[in-house]
Amino acid sequence: MTGEFTRWGGEILESMGVNVLDWGYYKIIGLDGTIFSRIDGLMILGMFAGCIAAELWANNIKIRMPQNRIRIVQALIGGALAGFGARLAMGCNLASLFTGMVFLSFHYMPSFLP
């Protein structure tokens, strides 16, 4: 996901006149195709469509603003830090946490029994 988001950012910068194809990351990955022709782009669009469908099905869509404006700044800074960290790690490792917890629980289960 982070790779596709980086491609989206590169496409936006390229549409603004910035030549990103000289940058190291885009030399390796490239900007071939569109959101609809790359499997990662389709996966992200499907994820967004699924989230919206679930919200519509639950009748739980509300547009609301936080009571404190500092929350908006905190959310933007936190999102930027999380995105930067995921990009440095070459992808999000949240799934690794959950699969590791499952593996750990099955692997060491006999040692926890009395």
Side-chain angles (χ1 to χ4, degrees):
M1 290 185 82
T2 59
E4 186 63 20
F5 282 138
T6 305
R7 284 190 194 102
W8 288 5
E11 289 172 353
I12 290 169
L13 286 173
E14 203 171 48
S15 71
M16 295 168 53
V18 179
N19 186 13
V20 297
L21 294 177
D22 291 338
W23 298 359
Y25 179 79
Y26 294 108
K27 283 182 181 177
I28 296 169
I29 299 301
L31 287 174
D32 299 334
T34 65
I35 294 170
F36 301 105
S37 66
R38 293 188 297 256
I39 191 66
D40 294 342
L42 291 174
M43 179 179 62
I44 291 172
L45 291 175
M47 180 187 66
F48 285 142
C51 291
I52 291 171
E55 290 291 320
L56 287 171
W57 190 15
N59 198 19
N60 195 23
I61 293 183
K62 295 178 187 172
I63 297 176
R64 52 184 177 254
M65 290 297 291
Q67 293 178 354
N68 240 339
R69 291 199 187 268
I70 190 71
R71 296 290 184 205
I72 297 172
V73 175
Q74 289 171 336
L76 290 173
I77 292 171
L81 288 173
F84 186 70
R87 186 73 249 143
L88 282 177
M90 298 302 285
C92 177
N93 60 4
L94 185 60
S96 299
L97 168 75
F98 291 123
T99 56
M101 287 173 38
V102 170
F103 174 75
L104 183 67
S105 65
F106 286 135
H107 187 68
Y108 293 106
M109 184 67 88
S111 64
F112 293 127
L113 296 175

